[in-house]
Amino acid sequence: EVQLVETGGGLIQPGGSLRLSCAASGFLVTSNYMSWVRQAPGKGLAFISVIYNDGNTQYADSVKGRFTISRDNSKNTVFLQMKSLRAEDTAIYYCARENIPGLGMDVWGQGTTVTVSS
Amino acid sequence: EIVLTQSPGTLSLSPGERATLSCRASQSVRSSYLAWYQQKSGQAPRLLIYGAASRATGIPDRFSGSGSGTDFTLTISRLEPEDFAVYYCQQYGNSRWTFGQGTKVEIK
């Protein structure tokens, strides 16, 4: 079964760090574009970061320099390392697969919640 | 960055009615890179339409997409009870994805 499972969310103080994981099953992360998308409470969807099948990465301006996307091919898992967290980073973080580049994110995880608060 | 503006913000309709959702881009979007998603409360988004007009796997044919350039439309021909949700358009351009702010389709 094709599936994504995110873990690692939680309550963190402003300025803190957190690492999210996205474990894939039923397909290889190295053969797809893998993205992180977040949704702040009561708000819409926002692209955060992508790691391409060739390993190159892109980031939204709002997280550039603070967040790092990476993957562990042996574990078929994608990570999002988040540093210098701010209250406005509070959101549900979704991992998503783009099987054919540019043609939509066809598999999504259930999301993991990050709350940045003192 | 290409900005997507969806309208209306909320659409109040009854089951069986037709829903027409609009997505307008601040500059021309390559049609093959325009997608639509459905999100129900408490759930992850689900891909409905990709390439502006192609239905994703398992999506009923009451959902259809159209448009080109800067104007795109998602049409639900006859609303079923399970179609009441929030819908987002998304485009890929300049190596990044952007989403519209969403249209909520609610029961009238």
Side-chain angles (χ1 to χ4, degrees):
Chain A
E1 180 189 5
V2 172
Q3 187 172 292
L4 294 169
V5 177
E6 302 99 330
T7 56
L11 175 62
I12 187 76
Q13 292 190 337
S17 299
L18 207 57
R19 189 178 83 155
L20 306 183
S21 299
C22 170
S25 56
F27 70 97
L28 294 177
V29 296
T30 52
S31 299
N32 295 268
Y33 288 11
M34 298 299 299
S35 293
W36 287 95
V37 174
R38 71 184 180 186
Q39 187 168 37
K43 303 297 184 182
L45 303 170
F47 164 76
I48 292 302
S49 182
V50 60
I51 183 165
Y52 300 120
N53 49 359
D54 64 3
N56 286 324
T57 60
Q58 290 283 346
Y59 298 92
D61 290 342
S62 59
V63 306
K64 200 174 294 183
R66 299 189 299 124
F67 290 12
T68 302
I69 191 170
S70 63
R71 69 188 182 202
D72 184 328
N73 298 346
S74 67
K75 295 181 179 178
N76 208 30
T77 298
V78 177
F79 303 99
L80 186 68
Q81 178 68 51
M82 305 185 293
K83 298 180 180 180
S84 303
L85 283 162
R86 308 165 179 167
E88 55 265 35
D89 295 318
T90 294
I92 299 172
Y93 284 73
Y94 295 103
C95 176
R97 177 187 88 166
E98 189 153 353
N99 184 234
I100 301 174
L103 296 190
M105 299 174 182
D106 65 333
V107 179
W108 293 68
Q110 83 289 352
T112 187
T113 300
V114 174
T115 303
V116 184
S117 174
S118 54
Chain B
E1 177 181 302
I2 296 177
V3 176
L4 299 178
T5 302
Q6 293 187 239
S7 62
T10 301
L11 201 50
S12 298
L13 295 168
S14 301
E17 289 193 295
R18 181 184 187 91
T20 303
L21 288 66
S22 173
C23 176
R24 178 161 291 179
S26 58
Q27 54 186 283
S28 187
V29 171
R30 191 169 162 181
S31 293
S32 56
Y33 291 164
L34 193 288
W36 289 91
Y37 298 84
Q38 176 193 68
Q39 187 180 32
K40 297 180 181 179
S41 181
Q43 297 185 16
R46 178 175 71 147
L47 179 65
L48 295 177
I49 300 288
Y50 64 91
S54 299
R55 276 186 298 277
T57 303
I59 302 303
D61 60 8
R62 64 180 180 273
F63 291 91
S64 63
S66 63
S68 64
T70 60
D71 290 294
F72 297 88
T73 300
L74 174 70
T75 301
I76 310 171
S77 59
R78 288 177 57 85
L79 283 164
E80 298 287 342
E82 62 268 28
D83 298 337
F84 291 92
V86 180
Y87 293 83
Y88 296 93
C89 58
Q90 177 206 39
Q91 71 85 35
Y92 172 69
N94 297 326
S95 300
R96 60 188 58 201
W97 289 250
T98 55
F99 291 90
Q101 83 281 14
T103 290
K104 181 179 181 180
V105 178
E106 65 175 21
I107 299 177
K108 186 174 181 180

